[in-house]
Amino acid sequence: MKLSEHLKEVDGSIAEIILLVADRAREIKKAFLTHNFNSNTKNMFGERQLELDKWADKLLIDALRRSKLVRAVASEEQSSIVEIVKSKGELGVVLDPLDGVSSVATNLSVGTIAGIFNEGNVLEKGNKMDAAMYILYGPLTTLVYSAKQGVHEFVLNHDNEFVLRKENITLPEGNIYSPGGLAIDYVDEHRQFISQLESEGYKLRYSGSFTADFQQILTYGGVFSYPSLKEKPDGKLRLLFEANPMSFIIEQAGGRGSDGVQRILDIAPKAIDHRVPLYIGGNKPIELVEHFFRGDVV
Ligand code: P6P
């Protein structure tokens, strides 16, 4: 089944945005071969923007603007919200155009992440989100989306069509752990959590590309973490562009997204550059980490 057919059950404007991002993903996939990776600018997080970051950001925002369905876009590569004044539509879109792009230089998988709000406010809690999706550019180019009717995966075939690969994905019980951050910077609660996982036989898998690491957790089960660190109490990942869309998807697949204390989707964004400690995966490891941060005896 083609993506466009599968989306027939989804609200028309949201379906159109998912198809639009899917269409632009075909261009991004081709660009890995042609674009250089250097640029001399930084994003609002102080991270060097690769030329590919900025190109993908413009490609997606221009397409969203032309759709006339989107009133506002917040992108990891933009230091303020892009208001689309002439839009007829009311949708809000949050975007990480190319997550993990530094991994392209080493030919590791990278992703495009998007969240969609029916009401155009993009500085909104994730529990108001109406759909989320990501593209994973790996050996296969795959697209995963949820519009509150399950989690579904599509693969780009030889005809350059996204066709259904897995429907109604549920998170399996598994023992992969994907620990971001430097161990020397772990806070005690996180260190105890990681030590407990290792004593239970969890297996470390970490690529440095969130979308790829998330896909591994969704496929095999377990938990991804990018925690609060001694010098970075809010961790590294962004609430709007990474934590919320992926927490939306993992909850639809039966898992959870937490900052170690509370549900990610219930966190009110303070600003578009709001970072959060992130634990995302199965109920069991998430309950465990919340025990440690709540000071419960395990
Ligand atoms: P580190 C990529 O830059 C990213 O935002 C996520 O994709 C990834 O999970 C994380 O940062 C990797 O961070 O500190 O391991 O390089």
Side-chain angles (χ1 to χ4, degrees), residues 1-4 6-7 14-26 29 60 110-114 116 132-138 140-147 150-157 160-167 169 211 214-215 218 246 249:
M1 178 189 282
K2 287 185 185 175
L3 177 60
S4 52
H6 199 271
L7 285 166
I14 289 183
E16 277 198 53
I17 298 303
I18 293 172
L19 286 168
L20 176 155
V21 175
D23 182 52
R24 296 297 86 191
R26 294 184 180 92
K29 175 178 164 27
L60 288 163
V110 296
T112 294
I113 305 171
I116 306 168
M133 66 182 290
Y134 63 88
I135 312 277
L136 183 57
Y137 309 94
L140 301 173
T141 297
T142 53
L143 178 151
V144 170
Y145 91 86
S146 179
V151 177
H152 316 292
E153 182 187 35
F154 298 77
V155 61
L156 198 59
N157 68 10
N160 218 19
E161 284 285 355
F162 279 103
V163 295
L164 186 62
R165 185 175 190 230
K166 282 185 201 168
E167 194 170 35
I169 297 171
T211 315
F214 177 87
Q215 177 72 28
L218 185 65
M246 294 310 215
I249 289 172

Side-chain angles (χ1 to χ4, degrees), residues 211-276:
T211 315
D213 292 335
F214 177 87
Q215 177 72 28
Q216 198 159 206
I217 298 299
L218 185 65
T219 307
Y220 296 125
V223 60
F224 171 95
S225 60
Y226 208 107
S228 171
L229 298 165
K230 284 177 186 162
E231 304 306 316
K232 296 181 192 167
D234 294 332
K236 175 178 184 180
L237 297 194
R238 281 57 53 145
L239 175 62
L240 268 64
F241 314 117
E242 293 158 318
N244 270 344
M246 294 310 215
S247 294
F248 179 97
I249 289 172
I250 204 84
E251 287 197 2
Q252 290 292 317
R256 292 178 60 197
S258 170
D259 68 355
V261 175
Q262 63 182 312
R263 183 185 182 221
I264 287 289
L265 297 183
D266 292 339
I267 298 174
K270 296 182 195 121
I272 60 172
D273 64 349
H274 187 155
R275 294 180 198 259
V276 287

Side-chain angles (χ1 to χ4, degrees), residues 15-253:
E16 277 198 53
I17 298 303
I18 293 172
L19 286 168
L20 176 155
V21 175
D23 182 52
R24 296 297 86 191
R26 294 184 180 92
E27 298 306 307
I28 292 173
K29 175 178 164 27
K30 285 190 280 190
F32 293 137
L33 277 174
T34 53
H35 278 61
N36 69 36
F37 304 122
N38 304 313
S39 90
N40 55 4
T41 56
K42 291 191 175 180
N43 64 15
M44 61 181 146
F45 301 98
E47 296 161 337
R48 188 163 64 90
Q49 286 176 305
L50 302 183
E51 192 267 337
L52 206 51
D53 267 328
K54 296 194 293 181
W55 173 83
D57 183 55
K58 183 177 184 320
L59 181 82
L60 288 163
I61 292 177
D62 286 352
L64 292 169
R65 191 189 303 279
R66 283 196 305 273
S67 76
K68 303 275 187 221
L69 296 170
V70 177
R71 185 162 65 77
V73 181
S75 165
E76 186 172 300
E77 303 308 324
Q78 298 284 333
S79 53
S80 59
I81 293 171
V82 177
E83 299 288 352
I84 301 172
V85 179
K86 293 199 182 96
S87 172
K88 297 189 187 76
E90 283 300 313
L91 296 182
V93 176
V94 292
L95 202 51
D96 186 352
L98 265 184
D99 167 66
V101 71
S102 55
S103 299
V104 174
T106 52
N107 194 29
L108 288 176
S109 300
V110 296
T112 294
I113 305 171
I116 306 168
F117 295 88
N118 260 326
E119 303 299 316
N121 178 8
V122 289
L123 206 53
E124 185 57 88
K125 290 180 182 179
N127 60 27
K128 298 278 195 237
M129 200 173 273
D130 295 283
M133 66 182 290
Y134 63 88
I135 312 277
L136 183 57
Y137 309 94
L140 301 173
T141 297
T142 53
L143 178 151
V144 170
Y145 91 86
S146 179
K148 296 186 178 176
Q149 296 155 7
V151 177
H152 316 292
E153 182 187 35
F154 298 77
V155 61
L156 198 59
N157 68 10
H158 291 306
D159 298 327
N160 218 19
E161 284 285 355
F162 279 103
V163 295
L164 186 62
R165 185 175 190 230
K166 282 185 201 168
E167 194 170 35
N168 296 317
I169 297 171
T170 54
L171 184 68
E173 281 278 332
N175 70 342
I176 298 286
Y177 76 109
S178 203
L182 295 180
I184 51 171
D185 294 338
Y186 285 173
V187 298
D188 291 346
E189 296 86 347
H190 182 72
R191 189 181 310 283
Q192 291 164 27
F193 169 62
I194 294 294
S195 168
Q196 179 71 24
L197 293 183
E198 288 170 343
S199 70
E200 292 178 16
Y202 275 68
K203 187 187 293 183
L204 194 157
R205 287 284 182 274
Y206 187 80
S207 78
S209 176
F210 177 46
T211 315
D213 292 335
F214 177 87
Q215 177 72 28
Q216 198 159 206
I217 298 299
L218 185 65
T219 307
Y220 296 125
V223 60
F224 171 95
S225 60
Y226 208 107
S228 171
L229 298 165
K230 284 177 186 162
E231 304 306 316
K232 296 181 192 167
D234 294 332
K236 175 178 184 180
L237 297 194
R238 281 57 53 145
L239 175 62
L240 268 64
F241 314 117
E242 293 158 318
N244 270 344
M246 294 310 215
S247 294
F248 179 97
I249 289 172
I250 204 84
E251 287 197 2
Q252 290 292 317

